[in-house]
Amino acid sequence: MNVHESDKIAALLTSHGLTRTDDHETADILIFNTCTVRNTAEEKIISHIGLAHSQKRGGRRVTIAVVGCLSQREGVATSLMKKFPRLDIILGTHNIGRIATAVDNATAGKKTLDIITEREDFTVPVTDTVRTDNTDLVTHKPGTDTHFINITYGCENYCTYCIVPYVRGKLISRPMSEIESEFAEYKTGTVYLLGQNVNSYKCPETNTDFVGLLRHLSRDTNVMLNFLSSHPRDFTNELAAEIASNPRIDKNIHLPIQSGSTRILKLMNRGYTADDFRAKIANLRALCVDVKLTTDIICGFPSETDDDFAETMQLVRDIKFNAAFIFPYSRRSGTPADKMPDQIPQKIKKERTTKLIELQRQIANAKIQP
């Protein structure tokens, strides 16, 4: 989603007469599209902003913009502007469509600090011509056959470790007619349907659910479909059957487990047990023998014991994911987990993360052996 939104920003500014460059040394405008899902990401981006802020560019005027999730966190935008007085633009997650206007203001010497709490309504029909008032625009990237379409924005799951609902806002499903128009622009390759939880999709016009959307888009097309991310709680047998039977759906499926301990999953407010997850995977594999599974796992969630971690290790051994994204738990201020007792020391979190990564590496290597 971050990559896709960066492409939208680039397309908006390109339509405004600017040219994208990967050379930050010579760029006239530097835009930091930020993530705050983990503390390490936030620390890195603040470091990069500080470096850009302090660089001497021979008197040349450089516009610096910060947009995205970091900006949207309560109080952060104001503190960023105070800490880095050379910042020209700060926008949040809901109004990146205003970037071109903000750049014009910066050129005229006017700063922009613009954070809104509700997503703006960008419903201008998508065409081959980029619309500067529409963030759901088609972004054609030369030389790639991988494309992205947002089908939902925001999230209302409120996993106790996750900052996303607080910076992305409430769940909004895009009308299927908009998604269909955007999808029609792509003739080859793979289109990823994006959302914090795509399974929650419900068309506001027709009440079509996520499975219905997949069926609708996959008719009369040469494009393959995939989606990110899917929530195990809402991963239904109907969805598994559609994945198995529909030749236009990619069989590489990402399904984040987060922990193999049912006790920890309950503390995370995930809405399923470890056995529920095993049953869903068993059903999917029975229906679709060539499915390849990837997942996300958090190590060292508050109060996680050695036994809890051992259950995660065992689940990974049992399911044998093709790949896993494994991270130590990262405290996020404003989330319930941040205030939970029995926070795990960083040393133990790193040790568990390293151990699980090694196990997953062994499993992945065994899968690719001839």
Side-chain angles (χ1 to χ4, degrees):
M1 189 170 292
N2 188 278
V3 170
H4 184 38
E5 290 187 347
S6 294
D7 291 340
K8 289 178 183 178
I9 292 168
L12 286 165
L13 293 179
T14 298
S15 71
H16 201 60
L18 303 174
T19 302
R20 184 172 185 168
T21 177
D22 293 325
D23 184 2
H24 64 86
E25 296 291 340
T26 61
D28 298 303
I29 304 168
L30 297 177
I31 302 173
F32 295 91
N33 187 20
T34 62
C35 174
T36 190
V37 70
R38 285 183 293 275
N39 189 56
T40 50
E42 188 169 311
E43 289 174 346
K44 286 179 181 178
I45 198 65
I46 290 175
S47 175
H48 287 306
I49 294 169
L51 181 62
H53 184 271
S54 63
Q55 283 179 336
K56 306 297 182 183
R57 301 178 186 273
R60 185 168 59 88
R61 179 76 172 86
V62 177
T63 297
I64 303 176
V66 179
V67 304
C69 288
L70 176 62
S71 309
Q72 193 71 31
R73 282 189 61 196
E74 186 176 356
V76 170
T78 301
S79 64
L80 283 174
M81 198 67 89
K82 289 180 179 178
K83 184 174 183 178
F84 304 114
R86 284 181 54 207
L87 284 184
D88 299 286
I89 300 166
I90 298 182
L91 300 174
T93 58
H94 301 298
N95 58 348
I96 62 172
R98 301 181 186 180
I99 185 68
T101 299
V103 166
D104 287 344
N105 289 340
T107 302
K110 180 182 177 182
K111 292 180 179 292
T112 298
L113 196 166
D114 191 5
I115 306 297
I116 61 176
T117 58
E118 295 290 338
R119 183 168 181 82
E120 293 179 334
D121 182 23
F122 297 104
T123 56
V124 178
V126 176
T127 68
D128 284 326
T129 303
V130 170
R131 304 292 190 98
T132 58
D133 53 352
N134 176 29
T135 60
D136 292 322
L137 47 82
V138 175
T139 51
H140 296 284
K141 294 185 71 177
T144 180
D145 261 347
T146 300
H147 316 288
F148 304 104
I149 298 176
N150 278 98
I151 65 169
T152 66
Y153 295 99
C155 181
E156 296 175 13
N157 290 324
Y158 289 97
C159 300
T160 57
Y161 55 82
C162 187
I163 194 69
V164 167
Y166 306 98
V167 296
R168 288 282 177 179
K170 65 183 181 181
L171 177 72
I172 300 173
S173 294
R174 290 180 65 198
M176 193 161 68
S177 57
E178 286 185 20
I179 297 169
E180 185 178 22
S181 295
E182 192 169 339
F183 182 79
E185 297 290 328
Y186 303 117
K187 310 302 181 185
T188 60
T190 299
V191 170
Y192 281 83
L193 306 179
L194 301 181
Q196 265 69 44
N197 177 14
V198 292
N199 311 70
S200 296
Y201 178 80
K202 186 76 70 173
C203 175
E205 298 172 332
T206 64
N207 213 33
T208 303
D209 64 8
F210 181 56
V211 174
L213 177 66
L214 289 173
R215 289 174 181 157
H216 184 76
L217 294 179
S218 61
R219 294 181 303 183
D220 302 320
T221 182
N222 293 319
V223 173
M224 294 297 293
L225 284 165
N226 206 322
F227 46 87
L228 291 170
S229 280
S230 189
H231 196 297
R233 182 195 61 206
D234 305 319
F235 195 92
T236 62
N237 290 340
E238 184 185 16
L239 176 55
E242 187 65 25
I243 292 168
S245 63
N246 192 327
R248 304 317 308 169
I249 298 180
D250 194 318
K251 308 311 178 193
N252 295 284
I253 302 300
H254 187 72
L255 197 59
I257 176 63
Q258 303 301 4
S259 174
S261 164
T262 294
R263 186 184 76 85
I264 294 297
L265 289 171
K266 185 175 181 179
L267 288 174
M268 289 178 168
N269 192 35
R270 292 292 286 172
Y272 55 87
T273 67
D275 285 343
D276 291 338
F277 189 87
R278 283 185 168 91
K280 290 173 186 286
I281 297 304
N283 177 64
L284 178 59
R285 282 177 165 162
L287 294 170
C288 186
V289 294
D290 57 342
V291 69
K292 293 181 174 61
L293 292 168
T294 59
T295 196
D296 298 336
I297 301 174
I298 295 170
C299 294
F301 187 80
S303 82
E304 183 187 71
T305 64
D306 289 340
D307 287 344
D308 291 321
F309 179 65
E311 291 180 26
T312 298
M313 293 280 285
Q314 189 58 52
L315 182 141
V316 170
R317 292 189 192 97
D318 293 344
I319 291 181
K320 294 181 173 56
F321 296 101
N322 293 82
F325 300 91
I326 302 167
F327 300 96
Y329 165 69
S330 181
R331 297 180 73 166
R332 299 281 71 204
S333 177
T335 63
D338 181 53
K339 298 185 182 300
M340 287 182 179
D342 302 321
Q343 297 285 332
I344 305 300
Q346 193 68 22
K347 180 176 182 292
I348 294 177
K349 288 193 288 188
K350 288 185 176 180
E351 287 173 351
R352 290 176 180 172
T353 301
T354 300
K355 188 174 182 179
L356 189 56
I357 287 173
E358 179 55 34
L359 172 61
Q360 177 56 41
R361 183 180 291 115
Q362 294 171 10
I363 291 169
N365 288 342
K367 280 181 171 288
I368 63 176
Q369 293 303 316

